[in-house]
Amino acid sequence: MTITQQLQQQVSAAAGLDNWRNLPIRQQPTWPDAEAAKYVLDELSQRPPLVFAGEVDRLKDRLGQAAAGNAFVLQGGDCAETFAGANADKIRGRVSTILQMALVLTYGAEMPVVKMGRMAGQFAKPRSKDTETRDGVTLPAYRGDIVNDFAFTEESRTPNPQRMMDGYHVSASTLNLIRAFTTGGFADMREVHSWNKGFASNPANARYDLMAREIDRALKFMAATGADFEALKEVEFYIGHEGLLLEYERALTRIDSRTQLPYDTSAHFIWIGERTRDLEEAHMDFFARVRNPIGVKLGPTTDSDTMKRIIEKLDPEREPGRLTFITRMGAEKIGDVLPGLLETIKSEDATPLWITDPMHGNGFTTERGFKTRRFDDVVTEVKGFFTAHKEAGTHPGGIHVELTGDDVTECLGGSDAIDEAALETRYESLCDPRLNHMQSLELAFLVAELLQDFPTAEVTGQDNW
């Protein structure tokens, strides 16, 4: 192929990537200096990709296997990452929590677990209102560190396009550390299991001690049979975030030299939120054109017709692993809504991956102004998700959780019995409440128990996922 032909292919592949600019769009900041924003976006378009097309394709294959019932997906991380929180200790805490959960889920599911962080890019947040008023002062709403700062001052809340470049650099350093942790021995399953044994030995978590001891026996059996634990010290770890700030996502979209197809290189996996998934608007148009696996949040108002139209828009070729539905319906509503969608999908020629987000449908604000969630409601929604799939004969493909590796007090309940008074002691989230380290592990053990009621996959010759 000549250079001219290659250039023609690239032009063809890029066609339509800016069509979203002519469509209605939601949840975008208004930059006070348009020229400064253009300069930053031009700079970003020339920067190296954060992830690579080959990695994206591998994740799509993994997600396709999960959709077919041969794997399970765990996605977890901050509600909204902050630049200040991108330090080694906090990143290590989140990664270790996900690895601990994944080991338990692998045992419960008896199949590989795809590990994915809401990390290295989860900086933009949708807001219910464009402004916030305190004591008679009205300022722009906080839209995440990639747009403005949380401090309630005019200077902090004014959208600053330089923050997009800061977000790129923080994402790069976070991803670099994640790769080091997951390929340098930190992910050795024997070490990860030793952390979980401490959790299960706590009297408050006695019900999980048996499973922890069973995992311990399984690892000892593997060692006795000569399993190559050196080869099991590395794991695949992917990153994903909500693709909210379209200018940033477009600036990091590249044409792959192998396939001449466009990939959003800001993350391996991108999802579209409940507020921005209108079929005729900008977000759906843009993400229909890139080759990443795409997730779509489905709330309690989703009907079967809308679901089918989303499939046609984002997955017209019915590619395994291309489309993930992330349900976030609330503990009280999932049993009413999800069964109908699952029955509809059985009559379609599509096999999307189904993941539950048991966090976003269960939030409320206490009398003292703390946004929180009840751990019991999170568990109830997870159980509703599994029950609906069991009755439909479909595969519950994964779980999507807002969590941290720190001992924060943001969600009520769990084995530590966090009450409303305790919320004030270590409430650190700038947006939505997260499960702390102990609550996250407790949820993993509960999900592992639920997974044991489903058929296991025939898995042979797998890499260490």
Side-chain angles (χ1 to χ4, degrees), residues 159-464:
N160 180 358
Q162 179 58 39
R163 285 179 164 268
M164 289 189 286
M165 185 62 72
D166 295 340
Y168 169 85
H169 288 301
V170 173
S171 295
S173 61
T174 299
L175 186 54
N176 183 57
L177 198 54
I178 290 171
R179 294 188 195 278
F181 284 144
T182 54
T183 61
F186 182 77
D188 186 324
M189 65 173 61
R190 293 167 297 183
E191 182 67 22
V192 172
H193 177 58
S194 72
W195 304 333
N196 280 346
K197 285 197 292 185
F199 166 83
S201 65
N202 184 324
N205 304 309
R207 62 176 290 191
Y208 310 119
D209 184 56
L210 176 60
M211 185 178 294
R213 285 189 280 117
E214 289 175 347
I215 296 172
D216 194 46
R217 290 184 61 192
L219 290 174
K220 289 178 179 177
F221 174 80
M222 290 173 63
T225 57
D228 183 4
F229 280 99
E230 288 300 313
L232 298 177
K233 287 185 176 180
E234 298 184 5
V235 297
E236 296 176 8
F237 196 102
Y238 301 95
I239 62 167
H241 62 253
E242 180 177 358
L244 192 64
L245 191 54
L246 281 192
E247 290 177 312
Y248 178 81
E249 305 300 336
R250 176 64 182 94
L252 286 173
T253 298
R254 305 285 183 268
I255 304 301
D256 178 33
S257 60
R258 308 164 307 154
T259 63
Q260 303 303 313
L261 296 174
Y263 287 76
D264 183 349
T265 66
S266 71
H268 301 106
F269 179 82
I270 303 290
W271 73 85
I272 304 170
E274 177 85 354
R275 291 183 174 100
T276 54
R277 63 168 174 80
D278 189 291
L279 285 151
E280 307 304 324
E281 294 185 356
H283 287 80
M284 292 290 279
D285 184 90
F286 178 75
F287 289 113
R289 300 174 188 273
V290 297
R291 302 308 307 144
N292 304 61
I294 301 297
V296 181
K297 291 286 188 80
L298 299 182
T301 61
T302 307
D303 56 35
S304 293
D305 181 64
T306 298
M307 180 185 68
K308 289 190 287 186
R309 292 176 64 205
I310 291 173
I311 294 171
E312 288 300 324
K313 179 76 174 182
L314 294 179
D315 188 24
E317 302 299 324
R318 306 301 193 261
E319 301 173 68
R322 162 64 174 174
L323 179 59
T324 296
F325 283 136
I326 307 170
T327 64
R328 35 92 73 224
M329 297 173 176
E332 296 181 356
K333 297 180 180 179
I334 189 167
D336 298 326
V337 180
L338 183 57
L341 299 180
L342 295 179
E343 286 302 317
T344 297
I345 209 69
K346 288 161 64 176
S347 63
E348 297 294 310
D349 61 344
T351 310
L353 170 64
W354 291 91
I355 292 179
T356 178
D357 167 3
M359 307 293 289
H360 285 91
N362 294 306
F364 67 97
T365 302
T366 68
E367 290 185 0
R368 303 195 65 171
F370 288 94
K371 293 175 67 176
T372 190
R373 292 155 176 154
R374 294 186 180 88
F375 184 78
D376 286 349
D377 290 339
V378 171
V379 172
T380 297
E381 180 156 1
V382 170
K383 289 181 176 178
F385 177 78
F386 276 85
T387 296
H389 280 282
K390 191 172 184 64
E391 293 176 351
T394 51
H395 179 58
I399 184 168
H400 178 116
V401 189
E402 290 182 333
L403 59 82
T404 175
D406 301 328
D407 294 324
V408 300
T409 55
E410 297 174 359
C411 291
L412 299 170
S415 59
D416 285 342
I418 296 173
D419 58 20
E420 290 195 23
L423 291 180
E424 299 185 39
T425 60
R426 283 201 65 183
Y427 194 105
E428 299 178 6
S429 176
L430 299 185
C431 288
D432 293 336
R434 305 159 295 175
L435 298 181
N436 63 26
H437 179 71
M438 297 294 283
Q439 290 169 327
S440 300
L441 294 184
E442 185 175 356
L443 182 62
F445 275 95
L446 286 165
V447 172
E449 291 177 345
L450 295 170
L451 282 166
Q452 292 178 337
D453 290 335
F454 286 81
T456 57
E458 294 293 330
V459 181
T460 58
Q462 295 287 350
D463 298 327
N464 186 31

Side-chain angles (χ1 to χ4, degrees), residues 51-163:
V51 303
F52 302 100
E55 297 172 337
V56 173
D57 290 341
R58 185 175 61 192
L59 174 61
K60 187 186 295 182
D61 174 73
R62 302 310 199 209
L63 298 182
Q65 295 191 49
N70 299 320
F72 191 79
V73 176
L74 169 64
Q75 184 171 24
D78 268 327
C79 162
E81 291 180 286
T82 63
F83 296 164
N87 60 62
D89 287 342
K90 289 188 178 295
I91 294 168
R92 181 174 58 246
R94 290 193 292 272
V95 171
S96 64
T97 299
I98 292 171
L99 293 177
Q100 287 178 259
M101 295 175 72
L103 179 61
V104 174
L105 293 172
T106 301
Y107 180 82
E110 297 184 23
M111 62 178 68
V113 170
V114 182
K115 293 163 277 290
M116 194 187 322
R118 287 174 56 111
M119 299 172 66
Q122 180 58 17
F123 293 118
K125 291 299 295 180
R127 301 282 81 184
S128 299
K129 297 180 179 179
D130 289 335
T131 59
E132 179 183 356
T133 300
R134 298 185 192 177
D135 299 325
V137 177
T138 299
L139 295 175
Y142 172 63
R143 291 190 171 275
D145 272 15
I146 201 168
V147 174
N148 54 5
D149 192 81
F150 185 74
F152 196 73
T153 66
E154 184 173 0
E155 181 181 5
S156 295
R157 288 297 180 91
T158 299
N160 180 358
Q162 179 58 39
R163 285 179 164 268

